[in-house]
Amino acid sequence: MRVTEIFYSAKGEYMFKGHWFYEDIDTAIAAKPRDQKYSNGIPELPSGDHLGHPRQLWLCGSDSDNETYTNTYHIGVINKKVKIHQIAPGLTSPPPNLEFDADDYFYNSFTVRPFITIEDLWEDWMPWSLRYNEVLRREGLEGIQKLRDSCGGNFTKLMRGPSHKELGHPEHRVLPVLELFAGGGGISHITRSNGRVEIRHGWANDINQSACATYNCNAPEAHVSNCFRAG
């Protein structure tokens, strides 16, 4: 947890408020059906070993998600201060040139649990991150207000990095697509007439042989598979 606020309560207790980081078992990466079926849509999370690098964390990607959980505690519950490094998206371990101690952690993604999404984190703008502190130090509260106004109060928008338009990429983009449980390919077939995005069918899979035949008619250039393996 990143400490974002330290204060005295009305009872005179020394308290702090924080912003959550998640381990892999607390994210959608670890979600699995309970008895191979979802119970009221709530996935069961395994416990025990980590699924990836044991020192990797995921930043809670929204203020509303962060408020879902208890995030205010007595200062006495803090056991140890650790360093959490932000590294480049796509890396699965700390780069060799990073001074990384045994007690350190790293992150390069953020997650929004209600929507079960995980995205690359390009710039961490959550309150009291390094970026946030730079603006506060340079421009004061007025700079923070401008920052909030620029993203409508939603810092998640700032963390996704520059848009394709800002990077100078063409408005018309070609997206290769792999479809699972593809059916006849109706959804992607509709989007082909989007005008801004061209769907290029590459691969598809469905358990129903008739659906695969229909998909082949809609997208003859695609490699369509009729195999399915449970487990």
Side-chain angles (χ1 to χ4, degrees), residues 65-96:
D65 191 10
N66 193 60
E67 297 291 337
T68 304
Y69 309 96
T70 302
N71 59 4
T72 303
Y73 296 92
H74 190 278
I75 201 78
V77 304
I78 296 178
N79 182 41
K80 181 172 61 174
K81 180 181 178 181
V82 297
K83 183 180 291 185
I84 304 178
H85 304 268
Q86 183 184 351
I87 65 174
L91 297 179
T92 57
S93 61

Side-chain angles (χ1 to χ4, degrees), residues 18-170:
H19 193 94
W20 283 106
F21 283 88
Y22 299 129
E23 292 186 310
D24 50 12
I25 61 171
D26 299 318
T27 70
I29 296 174
K32 69 175 184 179
R34 183 181 287 117
D35 298 327
Q36 303 304 313
K37 293 182 179 180
Y38 282 95
S39 175
N40 298 322
I42 302 175
E44 179 183 277
L45 300 178
S47 60
D49 294 339
H50 290 273
L51 304 175
H53 195 290
R55 310 306 291 180
Q56 186 172 10
L57 300 176
W58 283 259
L59 178 67
C60 177
S62 74
D63 287 331
S64 58
D65 191 10
N66 193 60
E67 297 291 337
T68 304
Y69 309 96
T70 302
N71 59 4
T72 303
Y73 296 92
H74 190 278
I75 201 78
V77 304
I78 296 178
N79 182 41
K80 181 172 61 174
K81 180 181 178 181
V82 297
K83 183 180 291 185
I84 304 178
H85 304 268
Q86 183 184 351
I87 65 174
L91 297 179
T92 57
S93 61
N97 61 342
L98 180 66
E99 294 184 8
F100 195 84
D101 295 333
D103 290 334
D104 291 359
Y105 291 86
F106 71 92
Y107 70 109
N108 58 1
S109 304
F110 67 93
T111 179
V112 182
R113 282 168 51 113
F115 301 106
I116 321 181
T117 59
I118 292 176
E119 300 184 46
D120 286 340
L121 176 66
W122 293 91
E123 295 182 345
D124 183 359
W125 285 100
M126 281 297 173
W128 309 112
S129 63
L130 291 176
R131 291 274 188 182
Y132 186 96
N133 285 336
E134 286 174 5
V135 173
L136 182 62
R137 185 168 52 249
R138 188 175 61 246
E139 303 177 35
L141 292 177
E142 184 178 346
I144 296 298
Q145 188 57 52
K146 289 180 181 178
L147 185 64
R148 287 186 176 276
D149 293 341
S150 69
C151 63
N154 182 2
F155 288 104
T156 302
K157 293 181 180 178
L158 297 176
M159 298 194 297
R160 290 193 171 107
S163 66
H164 281 264
K165 188 173 184 180
E166 291 169 328
L167 291 172
H169 292 179

